[in-house]
Amino acid sequence: MAKVTWKPGNMLYPLPVVLVSCADKKGNDNILTVAWTGTICSDPPMLSISVRPERYSNHMIEETGEFVVNLTTEALVRATDFCGVRSGRDVDKWKEMGLTREKADMVCAPLIKESPVNIECVVTEAKNLGSHVMYQAKVAAVHVDDSYLDEKNKFCLEDAEPIVYSHGTYYSLGKKLGTFGYSVKKK
């Protein structure tokens, strides 16, 4: 097998694809799709999202320093795509996609009720990195849909059928291949 060298670019795929809800100080809100996201720290719990400065939602995050990361599922794939290709300047994404606002506990941005996991975030640092502003944020609260809890109260996200994004395409997750530490587990 031969390797072909390409110019530098982002080829770290697949990625989580999330719906980020945000609001300004006047209470106007919006949803945007973000694939440039990830965990950056576990103690304290922190994550990051990267947003283009020209996106309609960017001024809301700048103004309040808050947002909610809402995990996506196969049932939300159409909304996930729509919220990434339509601007909140032109359309009410909540109404168009039939999504329901829920009040957050710690931030002014609403949760998306249809999402199995909502992560309330407070920005700790914004870095302008070129095409995107990276918002590093502390996790202020996490909400999980109790219908995905098993009899031992373990959260089973796989039952919600989460999706990922890879080079322009949305995918459902495939079969289970192993669990953390299985390669060294004693038989």
Side-chain angles (χ1 to χ4, degrees):
M1 168 175 66
K3 300 275 182 155
V4 176
T5 302
W6 286 1
K7 69 177 183 169
N10 293 326
M11 291 298 292
L12 185 60
Y13 289 108
L15 300 165
V17 59
V18 299
L19 291 170
V20 174
S21 48
C22 53
D24 64 20
K25 289 184 177 178
K26 294 178 185 174
N28 302 306
D29 58 24
N30 194 43
I31 307 167
L32 75 151
T33 301
V34 173
W36 305 139
T37 184
T39 298
I40 57 173
C41 191
S42 57
D43 187 17
M46 295 181 73
L47 58 77
S48 69
I49 62 170
S50 293
V51 179
R52 288 185 178 272
E54 61 270 15
R55 294 290 298 262
Y56 177 66
S57 295
N58 191 67
H59 83 277
M60 296 179 180
I61 297 169
E62 287 284 332
E63 190 175 299
T64 63
E66 300 174 344
F67 58 87
V68 178
V69 171
N70 303 275
L71 298 192
T72 56
T73 64
E74 288 184 29
L76 290 170
V77 70
R78 182 166 162 60
T80 301
D81 186 64
F82 185 89
C83 291
V85 296
R86 293 290 184 247
S87 175
R89 287 182 188 96
D90 306 323
V91 64
D92 179 344
K93 298 176 190 180
W94 297 93
K95 181 180 175 186
E96 291 296 319
M97 291 294 101
L99 297 173
T100 311
R101 293 172 179 87
E102 282 194 326
K103 185 170 177 10
D105 292 341
M106 307 298 288
V107 302
C108 65
L111 313 177
I112 298 174
K113 180 178 182 177
E114 293 77 11
S115 172
V117 178
N118 317 95
I119 306 167
E120 296 183 49
C121 299
V122 177
V123 175
T124 59
E125 187 174 354
K127 290 185 175 186
N128 188 335
L129 298 173
S131 64
H132 288 70
V133 176
M134 181 178 65
Y135 295 100
Q136 295 177 359
K138 281 191 178 179
V139 174
V142 176
H143 307 265
V144 298
D145 184 333
D146 65 3
S147 66
Y148 298 108
L149 297 176
D150 70 10
E151 63 281 348
K152 295 180 182 178
N153 274 338
K154 177 185 175 232
F155 185 65
C156 302
L157 180 61
E158 64 277 7
D159 293 343
E161 300 176 325
I163 60 172
V164 295
Y165 178 81
S166 184
H167 212 67
T169 304
Y170 305 99
Y171 292 96
S172 60
L173 296 182
K175 63 183 176 183
K176 178 179 168 183
L177 301 175
T179 58
F180 181 75
Y182 85 97
S183 64
V184 296
K185 190 174 183 178
K186 294 184 180 175
K187 297 179 182 178

